[in-house]
């Protein structure tokens, strides 16, 4: 990735809110007006709303709440890497060796953010949280299914600590509010049977999604729509998430899913409701009965309760 530090300085300067001319900016940074114009163009290409008014100069439509590497590192015990622009924070972490468990990577923008089932995760600059945490799971691959449910709960807890209410979970781990998706989780892993598993836990959380964003194929919401907590910053959210994830994974490693089951049922968006599971080209209809200790979804089909597990299952309301 190209060095983004000059553009970050430019963004910070424009964040003050008043118009700044290309000439002023050029003098301040010791570059030509044409160079400033080129940098502004590439910021606009990333979806950043930089206004340009003839005779006045440039201004940001909205000041950006940027991630602050020093602040984050001072508030967290685990290593944190803040990257302005990256293909995918998950991909970046998957390619690294010898990370300590709990290491975090966050980005302002992803060029190839990825979601579950091969979908794209739309990642506009500075608006949302694109977060990955590495964890070495000693219990190996069989324990990895349960962990993705625990992560959903930990994310809900992190947001509740910051005063957000009305959150729900859709199996296995989407965070919902009023039947609209607020956050998604993609756990990617490597490891061999019988060995520890290397997990990269990816979380995409909508914080301040631009209204006219394109390319999202399901109802979505973002924190700015559901909360009036004006003082909560993206840095606060990253800190809160990191703490609750760390705690929840540690408990899961010691005790498995059992301590989380009743909490999961409490947040289950579909508990006791008729739902449809879609597994590839197969569909099953039944009443949602929560999860079992392996993290499988339980479905009452009228004669028995069956457990369903596997990354390709998706849940849709049957009505
Ligand atoms: C989903 O489809 O619901 C899961 C979305 C996960 C998106 C996050 S954003 C940070 C991390 N990096 C990625 O490329 N994907 C995950």
């Amino acid at each position: 990735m190209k060095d983004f530090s000059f553009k970050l300085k430019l963004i910070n300067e424009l964040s003050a809110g008043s118009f700044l001319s290309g000439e002023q900016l050029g003098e301040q940074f010791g570059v030509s007006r044409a160079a400033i114009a080129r940098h502004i163009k590439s910021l606009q290409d990333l979806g950043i709303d930089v206004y340009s008014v003839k005779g006045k100069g440039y201004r940001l439509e909205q000041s950006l709440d940027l991630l602050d590497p020093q602040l984050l590192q001072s508030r967290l015990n685990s290593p944190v890497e803040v990257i302005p622009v990256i293909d995918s924070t998950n991909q970046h972490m998957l390619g690294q060796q010898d990370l300590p468990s709990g290491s975090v990577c966050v980005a302002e923008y992803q060029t190839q953010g990825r979601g579950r089932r091969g979908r794209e995760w739309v990642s506009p600059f500075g608006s949302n949280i694109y977060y990955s945490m590495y964890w070495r799971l000693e219990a190996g691959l069989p324990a990895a299914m349960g962990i993705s449910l625990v992560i959903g709960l930990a994310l809900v807890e992190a947001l509740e600590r910051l005063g957000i209410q009305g959150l729900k979970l859709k199996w296995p781990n989407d965070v919902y509010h009023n039947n609209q998706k607020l956050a998604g989780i993609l756990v990617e892993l490597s490891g061999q049977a019988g060995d520890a598993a290397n997990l990269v836990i990816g979380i995409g959380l909508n914080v301040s999604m631009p209204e006219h964003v394109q390319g999202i194929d399901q109802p979505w919401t973002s924190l700015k729509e559901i909360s009036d907590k004006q003082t909560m910053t993206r840095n606060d959210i990253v800190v809160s998430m990191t703490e609750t994830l760390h705690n929840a994974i540690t408990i899961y490693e010691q005790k498995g899913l059992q301590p989380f089951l009743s909490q999961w049922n409490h947040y289950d968006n579909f508990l006791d409701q008729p739902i449809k599971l879609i597994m590839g080209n197969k569909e099953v209809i039944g009443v949602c009965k929560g999860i079992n200790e392996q993290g499988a979804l339980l479905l009452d089909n009228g004669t028995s309760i069956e457990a369903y597990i596997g990354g390709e299952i998706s849940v849709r309301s049957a009505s």
Side-chain angles (χ1 to χ4, degrees):
M1 286 293 148
K2 285 196 205 137
D3 181 16
F4 202 80
S5 50
F6 184 83
K7 291 188 183 63
L8 276 183
K9 283 190 209 151
L10 202 51
I11 291 170
N12 275 325
E13 212 50 47
L14 293 168
S15 282
S18 47
F19 277 103
L20 293 168
S21 70
E23 202 172 342
Q24 276 173 301
L25 289 165
E27 266 173 30
Q28 187 172 339
F29 292 118
V31 298
S32 67
R33 268 169 56 185
I36 294 289
R38 275 198 305 277
H39 284 290
I40 296 277
K41 166 83 175 61
S42 53
L43 293 181
Q44 289 166 331
D45 291 345
L46 292 178
I48 303 174
D49 278 337
V50 188
Y51 268 103
S52 152
V53 174
K54 223 173 173 181
K56 282 183 153 186
Y58 304 106
R59 199 181 78 174
L60 275 189
E61 158 70 351
Q62 263 185 350
S63 73
L64 288 170
D65 163 29
L66 294 180
L67 297 166
D68 181 334
Q70 279 80 32
L71 179 82
L72 285 172
Q73 197 55 84
S74 71
R75 290 173 64 186
L76 290 170
N77 296 323
S78 345
V80 186
E81 189 179 14
V82 179
I83 304 179
V85 179
I86 189 82
D87 47 1
S88 145
T89 55
N90 267 25
Q91 184 60 39
H92 177 68
M93 277 209 139
L94 281 167
Q96 300 209 24
Q97 307 280 323
D98 302 325
L99 290 171
S101 282
S103 301
V104 167
C105 168
V106 271
E108 298 287 5
Y109 183 85
Q110 295 186 120
T111 54
Q112 290 171 52
R114 52 194 193 219
R116 292 176 55 232
R117 292 187 285 281
R119 287 180 166 145
E120 178 199 2
W121 190 258
V122 176
S123 310
F125 189 95
S127 315
N128 302 320
I129 286 177
Y130 317 117
Y131 176 105
S132 298
M133 178 186 271
Y134 169 79
W135 200 276
R136 181 181 155 91
L137 193 62
E138 295 301 334
L141 294 177
M145 171 66 206
I147 212 165
S148 73
L149 283 83
V150 168
I151 303 302
L153 280 172
L155 181 55
V156 166
E157 187 189 345
L159 296 173
E160 285 190 343
R161 281 187 186 186
L162 296 168
I164 313 293
Q165 289 170 354
L167 300 172
K168 291 280 175 191
L169 287 163
K170 182 179 112 169
W171 186 90
N173 52 22
D174 286 343
V175 179
Y176 267 60
H177 186 272
N178 272 344
N179 293 314
Q180 293 165 316
K181 183 158 167 169
L182 176 69
I185 296 167
L186 173 68
V187 180
E188 299 190 82
L189 40 97
S190 63
Q192 309 219 325
D195 251 353
N198 295 302
L199 303 188
V200 174
I201 299 156
I203 301 180
L205 167 67
N206 300 337
V207 178
S208 174
M209 184 73 97
E211 267 163 45
H212 304 296
V213 71
Q214 310 245 312
I216 308 182
D217 61 357
Q218 54 185 318
W220 60 267
T221 188
S222 70
L223 288 179
K224 81 164 187 254
E225 271 88 34
I226 66 176
S227 156
D228 57 0
K229 301 270 176 281
Q230 308 290 348
T231 52
M232 177 181 62
T233 66
R234 286 160 72 231
N235 293 299
D236 295 331
I237 301 172
V238 169
V239 170
S240 187
M241 279 164 71
T242 306
E243 289 170 352
T244 57
L245 253 71
H246 212 283
N247 290 345
I249 300 173
T250 308
I251 296 174
Y252 177 74
E253 283 191 310
Q254 291 161 359
K255 301 185 176 158
L257 259 188
Q258 178 59 40
F260 299 96
L261 291 180
S262 65
Q263 217 184 337
W264 216 94
N265 285 343
H266 172 75
Y267 288 106
D268 190 343
N269 200 35
F270 294 94
L271 189 68
D272 291 328
Q273 288 185 39
I275 57 167
K276 177 162 74 179
L277 291 188
I278 306 163
M279 295 164 279
N281 49 14
K282 212 176 132 202
E283 288 184 3
V284 194
I285 288 177
V287 173
C288 174
K289 289 289 167 196
I291 56 169
N292 68 11
E293 278 192 37
Q294 282 70 49
L297 183 71
L298 300 174
L299 254 196
D300 185 349
N301 60 23
T303 34
S304 59
I305 295 183
E306 302 294 331
Y308 294 89
I309 206 151
E312 300 308 310
I313 300 177
S314 73
V315 185
R316 297 270 182 274
S317 175
S319 50

